[in-house]
Amino acid sequence: MEPRANAKANGKTAFVFAGGGSFGAIQVGMLHALLAHGVLPDLVVGASVGAINCAYFAGNPTLAGVRQLEQLWCQLKRSEIFPMTFSRIAGLFSRSPSLVDSSGLRALIETHLPYSLLEQAALPLHVVATEQLHGNLVCLSSGPAVEAILASCAIPAIFPPVLVGKEYLIDGAIASNTPVTAAITLGATRLIVLPTGYACALTEPPVSAIASALHALNMLIAHQLVQDLELLADRFEVLTVPPLCPLSASAYDFSRARELIERAEETTRRWLDGGGLQRPRIPGALRPHVD
């Protein structure tokens, strides 16, 4: 493996997008600041909601493209992503594989994604999912884009698994909470990780089953990311954009997208101006803490 100095000189830069439910809006603010600062990737890798963001960004990796993604996030409604119907709820007592129909998410992706195949994106795009039966990581770099993104977002029991080729795939966060290792395997030696963080400032537990599941998954993602970053730190240049902290919103609440985007853009700009790209470190906000 290349030492960090050689990685800077000769390697490829990957933007790595973590999962995080509605906190995916935070990554849009991060992208605003990174591109305004002149930071561009050679490839992008994403899992879960990070797969949605990196797929849209890969289609138009410019500030104009990020502004379009911002508009999309600010128009999202929870009912579009997580439509709850009586038949789905009743299905929990029979043979239904999920609580939520993924048709709303499918329609959103099909309507706005400017290409149909992953390999048609303007940037090399890689979507991470999990093979449902055995838990193997699957990195999708070609083929139908909508199916790949839906598979990466298929949170078990919430969204149904997606058949891609001959395998049923589920949320990429199950096999690789934040796909940093996938980015390394793809040849990246400089990683700029865009985590969403977790709601560290909640004063009471989430009230719904889906909100509880998303909160738990976000904590798992953050804590696993810390372990992955610690393992890679001595061998690769890994730069982690600080997530928002304190954060008291719910990962199930899409109504605060604009606020999250604006906060993330400002905090990322301050991190860049303060030399964040020259000081690899693991943000304390990713570790267990009480705000």
Side-chain angles (χ1 to χ4, degrees), residues 127-131 136-140 167 169 175:
V127 173
V128 173
T130 303
E131 196 272 313
N136 295 318
L137 182 147
V138 178
C139 187
L140 301 168
E167 296 180 326
L169 304 181

Side-chain angles (χ1 to χ4, degrees), residues 15-19 44-52 54 125-129 152 172 179:
F15 280 6
V16 182
F17 294 73
V44 293
V45 187
S48 200
V49 74
I52 297 176
C54 80
L125 164 64
H126 310 277
V127 173
V128 173
S152 189

Side-chain angles (χ1 to χ4, degrees), residues 200-215:
C200 60
L202 289 181
T203 57
E204 56 187 28
V207 296
S208 72
I210 295 179
S212 294
L214 289 173
H215 179 63

Side-chain angles (χ1 to χ4, degrees), residues 65-201:
V66 174
R67 293 188 189 99
Q68 292 174 356
L69 181 58
E70 177 181 3
Q71 291 177 357
L72 178 59
W73 267 99
C74 291
Q75 294 169 0
L76 281 181
K77 294 181 174 59
R78 183 170 63 192
S79 59
E80 295 175 328
I81 308 300
F82 296 101
M84 302 295 292
T85 64
F86 177 77
S87 61
R88 278 282 170 173
I89 296 173
L92 291 178
F93 301 98
S94 58
R95 296 175 60 86
S96 174
S98 65
L99 180 63
V100 177
D101 185 345
S102 60
S103 60
L105 183 57
R106 175 184 290 275
L108 178 74
I109 299 168
E110 289 178 338
T111 300
H112 297 282
L113 198 68
Y115 53 88
S116 58
L117 300 175
L118 295 174
E119 61 267 31
Q120 293 173 335
L123 279 177
L125 164 64
H126 310 277
V127 173
V128 173
T130 303
E131 196 272 313
Q132 185 184 28
L133 295 182
H134 305 291
N136 295 318
L137 182 147
V138 178
C139 187
L140 301 168
S141 305
S142 62
V146 174
E147 302 305 316
I149 297 168
L150 282 176
S152 189
C153 293
I155 304 169
I158 296 179
F159 287 119
V162 178
L163 182 63
V164 177
K166 296 181 179 180
E167 296 180 326
Y168 280 98
L169 304 181
I170 56 175
D171 196 317
I174 304 303
S176 182
N177 304 108
T178 303
V180 290
T181 53
I184 295 296
T185 302
L186 290 162
T189 49
R190 180 178 187 246
L191 309 184
I192 297 178
V193 183
L194 284 67
T196 60
Y198 67 96
C200 60

Side-chain angles (χ1 to χ4, degrees), residues 150-286:
L150 282 176
S152 189
C153 293
I155 304 169
I158 296 179
F159 287 119
V162 178
L163 182 63
V164 177
K166 296 181 179 180
E167 296 180 326
Y168 280 98
L169 304 181
I170 56 175
D171 196 317
I174 304 303
S176 182
N177 304 108
T178 303
V180 290
T181 53
I184 295 296
T185 302
L186 290 162
T189 49
R190 180 178 187 246
L191 309 184
I192 297 178
V193 183
L194 284 67
T196 60
Y198 67 96
C200 60
L202 289 181
T203 57
E204 56 187 28
V207 296
S208 72
I210 295 179
S212 294
L214 289 173
H215 179 63
L217 185 60
N218 282 5
M219 289 191 293
L220 177 65
I221 290 170
H223 300 164
Q224 181 61 48
L225 175 56
V226 169
Q227 296 179 36
D228 290 343
L229 295 178
E230 289 175 340
L231 289 172
L232 294 172
D234 293 332
R235 295 172 290 170
F236 299 93
E237 184 182 9
V238 182
L239 304 158
T240 307
V241 183
L244 296 182
C245 180
L247 183 58
S248 59
S250 167
Y252 188 44
D253 180 5
F254 288 80
S255 68
R256 298 175 64 177
R258 188 173 299 281
E259 171 197 341
L260 296 178
I261 291 169
E262 291 175 353
R263 281 185 63 193
E265 182 178 1
E266 176 59 27
T267 57
T268 304
R269 183 182 297 114
R270 289 201 305 267
W271 175 74
L272 290 165
D273 291 343
L277 291 176
Q278 287 72 50
R279 294 197 304 271
R281 59 179 294 272
I282 300 173
L286 291 174

